[in-house]
Amino acid sequence: GCGCRSRQDLLLLSPGTPPASSPFGSLWPLPQSLRVSPERFRLAPDQFQIVHGPGSSAGSSCSLLEDAFRRYYEYMFGYSKWQNRDGKKSLCETELSLLQVIITSKDSECDKFPSITSDEAYHLQVSKPTSVLKADKVWGVLRGLETFSQLLYEDDCGSYFVHESVISDFPRFAYRGILLDTSRHFLPLKIIQTNLDAMAFNKFNVLHWHIVDDPSFPYQSTTFPELNAQGAFTPKHVYTPTDVHNIIEYARLRGIRVIPEFDTPGHTQSWRKDILTPCYSGKHPSGSYGPINPILNATYDFMMKLFEEVGNVFPDDYIHLGGDEVDFSCWSSNPDVTEFMKKKGFGFWYSKLESYYVEKILEIVTSLNKKSIIWQEVFDDGAKLQPDTIVEVWKKFLYQLELARVTKQGHQAILAAPWYLDLISYGEDWKSYYGVEPLNFMGSKSQKELVLGGEACLWGEYVDGTNLTPRLWPRASAVGERLWSSKNVTDISDASKRLTQHRCRMLRRGIAAQPLFVGYCTTLEQ
């Protein structure tokens, strides 16, 4: 076992993009700075440890890191075709015995939740007999552990190796999100957790949880239990307070924020009927309902109580308030609404009524010490936004112009428009996602600094637990590298080779990522 030649014959010393024939050629997303030596070191699973290094501000009391150490040891050695199951010491002496993890800041943020300002930078030096991973905060350690695990490779005889290397890394964008939709199809907890794992493997850091919509209301509210009782598909298709807590904590342990979306005034057909607008046919109610009724004081009392609960349940600073695709036909049919419009001097501009409603919701959320994200229609229709409101740009047509308009008015922006992964096509569509440059719009440097990042959206009309994971991965991986790596990392041929290997690694870790093209994974027993 010790004398077997590796199938990967490496002679590499490169400060830039490594060739995909090397184990470094499977790094995803590509680090900001990478130097690799031809010298390699052997690791023996029964002799290798990930430990807290000297001087680190986080020790064994940091459950987030202890959990990560166990997890990454399993990722590196637990899926191998070679296992030392008899308990005997391996035949090969290890050359690299320790990965020391050192948190340099006094506040490691071990017990905190990640935020938009979280520091994810890290420095990794792979040398023998001890390698060192340094970061200011635990979030950087999580990203560095992922990179270290990707450097490890196995030869044909089951020996593990890693090459001497120095990596300095940090994300290009602070917001790197995945949107999952649990209203159109209920997603089991296990499926959400599996995809949180996959997000960590691709260095995403935001789960945008589009939790409710027209088809169903699976969020179990303690303040208004009738919402899920009436709005969920069945009593089984709900996320209990324990479920929600578990998802938030599962995400936190992977450095991932959970931002809930409660989309109003449209997309609310599963909500309580008494806060929806009765639609009219002529002079009589038609029996159907439209968007949230914006003329009732009771509406805002309800929203205050609901968002107070949501703000307490979800620890993130932000709540996504939606605001997209509001159908004005029901409002225009309702005589009480049209009378209200006249009194307010809105004329026939129902977008003004929408803005009136959204501005009140923004004020409610602000009063609860939370910040808001909204879809671009709210901005487009002229609502007066809070200064810290983030605008999410989702309409693909002229999205660069929209980014320019949003940032020119001083608002932060998130780009989703070119990354709607529910829109599928035949072939390697990941390449079109990879080719997007988020800052490719007309604007000043200060405008471009307002673009926080972006997210890949997977809406749920044709997606449930059976096909979500393979539809999302590795297509979303292309977005992950675009949002993490340097702007000049654009070589599609190199990316294709690395992503092919990364996809195989995700399979080994239990992520049912679909193939990119023809071929097979060499280290999978199929």
Side-chain angles (χ1 to χ4, degrees):
C2 297
C4 185
R5 183 174 176 79
S6 168
R7 62 172 168 264
Q8 279 150 333
D9 187 18
L10 285 167
L11 286 172
L12 174 65
L13 181 56
S14 169
T17 304
S21 60
S22 75
F24 326 112
S26 71
L27 287 181
W28 194 279
L30 200 67
Q32 298 285 342
S33 170
L34 168 67
R35 293 200 313 275
V36 182
S37 157
E39 186 173 359
R40 66 177 188 169
F41 313 127
R42 182 183 292 111
L43 289 77
D46 56 354
Q47 299 170 49
F48 178 80
Q49 289 180 293
I50 306 173
V51 299
H52 297 280
S56 178
S57 64
S60 57
S61 62
C62 179
S63 59
L64 181 147
L65 287 183
E66 291 297 311
D67 183 76
F69 292 175
R70 286 191 298 269
R71 202 164 66 242
Y72 275 96
Y73 184 91
E74 179 74 10
Y75 292 152
M76 290 189 288
F77 304 119
Y79 301 97
S80 168
K81 60 178 182 256
W82 175 84
Q83 292 285 346
N84 188 8
R85 294 188 179 90
D86 58 7
K88 295 178 182 177
K89 207 170 173 74
S90 62
L91 297 175
C92 304
E93 284 301 314
T94 187
E95 296 173 304
L96 200 169
S97 57
L98 288 179
L99 174 63
Q100 287 187 342
V101 173
I102 299 173
I103 306 255
T104 55
S105 171
K106 286 184 179 179
D107 180 8
S108 67
E109 299 187 2
C110 184
D111 298 319
K112 296 184 180 177
F113 289 90
S115 71
I116 191 64
T117 58
S118 289
D119 185 352
E120 298 173 281
Y122 65 92
H123 181 82
L124 175 63
Q125 182 155 353
V126 179
S127 53
K128 68 174 184 180
T130 301
S131 295
V132 178
L133 170 60
K134 283 187 179 180
D136 275 354
K137 308 290 183 182
V138 290
W139 320 117
V141 171
L142 292 173
R143 306 304 172 229
L145 285 172
E146 177 59 38
T147 299
F148 182 83
S149 74
Q150 294 185 10
L151 286 169
L152 195 75
Y153 67 99
E154 189 180 356
D155 71 8
D156 288 324
C157 303
S159 294
Y160 294 91
F161 293 95
V162 64
H163 277 255
E164 185 177 44
S165 47
V166 179
I167 294 174
S168 291
D169 200 13
F170 55 88
R172 183 183 174 201
F173 291 100
Y175 187 109
R176 307 178 307 283
I178 296 286
L179 179 148
L180 295 183
D181 170 9
T182 57
S183 173
R184 290 171 176 86
H185 285 98
F186 181 84
L187 297 177
L189 227 61
K190 183 65 177 171
I191 295 296
I192 297 175
Q193 291 173 335
T194 295
N195 282 278
L196 285 166
D197 286 334
M199 288 171 64
F201 302 156
N202 291 272
K203 295 187 171 73
F204 282 94
N205 67 351
V206 178
L207 171 62
H208 174 176
W209 191 356
H210 188 86
I211 192 166
V212 300
D213 206 298
D214 285 330
S216 73
F217 198 107
Y219 172 77
Q220 189 176 80
S221 169
T222 54
T223 309
F224 300 108
E226 69 276 8
L227 285 170
N228 69 272
Q230 299 168 12
F233 286 131
T234 75
K236 292 182 178 180
H237 293 96
V238 297
Y239 300 105
T240 66
T242 300
D243 294 335
V244 173
H245 170 80
N246 287 343
I247 287 173
I248 292 169
E249 180 62 12
Y250 196 92
R252 185 188 80 85
L253 292 174
R254 288 150 184 79
I256 297 170
R257 303 161 60 197
V258 179
I259 297 179
E261 180 181 355
F262 286 79
D263 190 359
T264 66
H267 292 282
T268 49
Q269 290 298 295
S270 63
W271 293 50
R272 264 176 30 182
K273 295 296 184 280
D274 62 308
I275 59 166
L276 302 183
T277 305
C279 306
Y280 276 67
S281 178
K283 294 183 179 181
H284 303 284
S286 66
S288 61
Y289 293 85
I292 295 287
N293 193 333
I295 71 171
L296 302 177
N297 289 333
T299 294
Y300 302 102
D301 293 339
F302 170 88
M303 291 297 178
M304 171 62 87
K305 291 175 183 174
L306 177 64
F307 281 113
E308 185 175 18
E309 176 190 321
V310 169
N312 287 328
V313 168
F314 291 89
D316 200 84
D317 293 334
Y318 287 86
I319 300 173
H320 203 303
L321 300 179
D324 63 320
E325 299 178 322
V326 181
D327 183 354
F328 298 148
S329 59
C330 184
W331 281 350
S332 65
S333 76
N334 185 299
D336 295 329
V337 172
T338 53
E339 181 63 26
F340 182 86
M341 294 271 288
K342 288 178 187 174
K343 286 182 179 177
K344 289 290 184 182
F346 293 162
F348 296 101
W349 294 96
Y350 287 91
S351 59
K352 290 186 178 181
L353 181 60
E354 176 196 9
S355 295
Y356 169 86
Y357 167 82
V358 172
E359 286 168 14
K360 281 184 167 290
I361 301 301
L362 287 167
E363 289 171 5
I364 286 173
V365 170
T366 300
S367 75
L368 297 170
N369 295 316
K370 293 285 187 175
K371 301 173 185 177
S372 302
I373 306 174
I374 45 90
W375 294 110
Q376 71 179 73
E377 286 96 321
V378 176
F379 171 83
D380 294 341
D381 290 339
K384 184 180 178 183
L385 305 181
Q386 302 288 332
D388 54 14
T389 299
I390 298 171
V391 180
E392 182 160 9
V393 175
W394 73 273
K395 293 187 176 182
K396 194 167 185 180
F397 182 66
L398 297 178
Y399 71 80
Q400 293 96 337
L401 187 60
E402 182 77 3
L403 281 174
R405 290 177 60 232
V406 169
T407 55
K408 191 168 186 178
Q409 290 197 22
H411 291 293
Q412 293 178 316
I414 298 165
L415 179 62
W419 295 318
Y420 265 46
L421 271 57
D422 53 298
L423 304 175
I424 58 174
S425 59
Y426 187 76
E428 299 176 84
D429 58 357
W430 70 269
K431 292 181 178 179
S432 66
Y433 309 141
Y434 193 79
V436 173
E437 169 44 53
L439 302 187
N440 185 23
F441 64 91
M442 295 294 289
S444 65
K445 184 185 177 197
S446 60
Q447 279 180 258
K448 297 190 178 185
E449 288 172 350
L450 291 171
V451 178
L452 296 174
E455 67 183 24
C457 301
L458 191 63
W459 296 98
E461 287 88 347
Y462 306 101
V463 174
D464 67 5
T466 66
N467 66 343
L468 181 142
T469 304
R471 185 162 293 188
L472 190 55
W473 309 104
R475 295 162 76 228
S477 302
V479 185
E481 178 153 292
R482 181 55 50 238
L483 294 173
W484 179 280
S485 301
S486 173
K487 180 180 179 179
N488 61 11
V489 177
T490 56
D491 185 332
I492 200 76
S493 175
D494 172 70
S496 182
K497 293 170 185 173
R498 285 187 294 111
L499 188 53
T500 297
Q501 295 186 52
H502 181 54
R503 178 254 172 177
C504 291
R505 176 168 50 239
M506 286 195 283
L507 286 185
R508 291 194 297 275
R509 294 183 182 184
I511 307 300
Q514 70 178 24
L516 276 82
F517 198 49
V518 297
Y520 68 102
C521 292
T522 56
T523 53
L524 281 177
E525 295 178 5
Q526 295 176 329

